Amino acid sequence: MIRTVKLENYLPLYIQEYREMWKLMQAENPEFQLANNETEKIKNNLFIETCDEKGISRFESIMGIFPLDTDTLESRISRVLTRWNEKLPYTYFYLLSKLNSLCGVNNYEIVKRFNKYEMDITTHLELSGQVEELDYLLNSVIPANILLKVNNKVNIETKGESNIATGLVFCNSFSLSDNFKEDFIANTEDCFAGAVINTIKINITDNFNDNINIIGNSNIGSILSVCENLVIGKE
């Protein structure tokens, strides 16, 4: 943890009363803060799990690892941890310890059938480069006479809402008559939506008798919107 440097706090109490000394210490704080930050980075880069990109590149150079352009810092750290402290002979318990390091403790499933020389491994790796590192690990540890089946399953949980509508859309009706009588019924039931939208009706008549019934039943909405009625004639 990088601490904030305040040199004025280290002055003797009788000197802290003098403004000149107080300002002098505050002026030197940025330089000492810079030195403290660099010291903290050096300490963090001594350990794989707390490395920055400069520090992890040093471990990769030691182990002969060449990172990909798509690798993140987390995936590079995971790869180095997997290959670090490799030792012979490789045993089943050693395999478990390496899988714990790569995948997380017990974040994988193994079905072993050693009497048939078979083994199934299911992992849940999400970081870039981890699948390739798993392939390297298994090729290094698993004996050649074992039939190995490996699956990597990523569990993704998504949440969202989707609004879907059904209805009567853009219905235009033009009538020319001297004796107009019409019953117009729109009846809809839908689990998403039922609606009459953007309806335009134009009638030219001297005897207008028009009944419009709209019935809707929906869990989301049923609505009559943007409805225009133009009448030219006598009622």
Side-chain angles (χ1 to χ4, degrees):
M1 179 178 180
I2 299 178
R3 64 185 180 90
T4 302
V5 175
K6 292 185 178 181
L7 296 178
E8 58 271 19
N9 294 338
Y10 296 94
L11 290 173
L13 294 178
Y14 70 93
I15 295 182
Q16 291 184 12
E17 299 177 358
Y18 296 96
R19 183 179 179 184
E20 293 81 0
M21 295 301 299
W22 188 269
K23 292 298 182 181
L24 179 61
M25 292 296 100
Q26 287 184 336
E28 294 180 356
N29 279 340
E31 297 300 325
F32 280 85
Q33 185 68 60
L34 179 62
N36 182 76
N37 295 347
E38 292 301 318
T39 303
E40 191 72 17
K41 289 181 181 180
I42 294 173
K43 183 182 69 176
N44 290 337
N45 286 336
L46 293 176
F47 307 94
I48 298 174
E49 294 183 341
T50 57
C51 277
D52 57 15
E53 294 197 1
K54 181 179 180 181
I56 201 63
S57 63
R58 174 175 172 271
F59 285 100
E60 290 171 338
S61 177
I62 293 173
M63 303 183 67
I65 298 175
F66 299 94
L68 303 175
D69 294 337
T70 56
D71 286 344
T72 62
L73 177 61
E74 290 77 9
S75 63
R76 294 170 66 183
I77 290 175
S78 176
R79 182 183 297 116
V80 172
L81 283 173
T82 302
R83 301 192 188 185
W84 196 259
N85 291 329
E86 291 184 345
K87 59 182 180 180
L88 295 172
Y90 296 136
T91 64
Y92 177 73
F93 295 102
Y94 175 78
L95 171 64
L96 296 182
S97 67
K98 302 304 287 186
L99 289 176
N100 286 335
S101 175
L102 177 63
C103 306
V105 179
N106 298 326
N107 190 28
Y108 55 88
E109 297 82 40
I110 294 181
V111 178
K112 54 184 183 296
R113 297 182 294 275
F114 291 149
N115 57 332
K116 296 182 179 180
Y117 296 95
E118 295 177 356
M119 180 185 296
D120 298 340
I121 300 178
T122 302
T123 59
H124 310 282
L125 302 175
E126 299 180 6
L127 296 178
S128 173
Q130 282 188 318
V131 174
E132 290 78 6
E133 189 59 28
L134 176 66
D135 180 67
Y136 171 84
L137 169 65
L138 298 179
N139 286 333
S140 303
V141 175
I142 302 299
N145 63 335
I146 298 293
L147 177 61
L148 185 63
K149 297 180 181 179
V150 182
N151 291 313
N152 185 60
K153 296 181 179 180
V154 179
N155 299 321
I156 301 177
E157 181 180 355
T158 59
K159 295 181 180 180
E161 295 181 357
S162 178
N163 298 322
I164 302 176
T166 62
L168 183 61
V169 183
F170 295 105
C171 177
N172 299 326
S173 177
F174 301 88
S175 300
L176 296 174
S177 173
D178 60 355
N179 188 7
F180 186 82
K181 184 177 181 180
E182 180 184 11
D183 293 329
F184 181 80
I185 299 175
N187 188 350
T188 179
E189 292 185 1
D190 193 85
C191 59
F192 294 101
V196 179
I197 304 172
N198 292 341
T199 300
I200 301 174
K201 186 175 182 66
I202 301 175
N203 299 308
I204 302 176
T205 180
D206 60 355
N207 188 3
F208 184 83
N209 188 358
D210 189 15
N211 296 320
I212 300 176
N213 296 321
I214 299 176
I215 302 174
N217 184 10
S218 173
N219 293 331
I220 296 179
S222 177
I223 186 170
L224 176 64
S225 63
V226 193
C227 180
E228 299 179 6
N229 188 16
L230 175 63
V231 179
I232 302 175
K234 299 179 181 179
E235 294 186 0

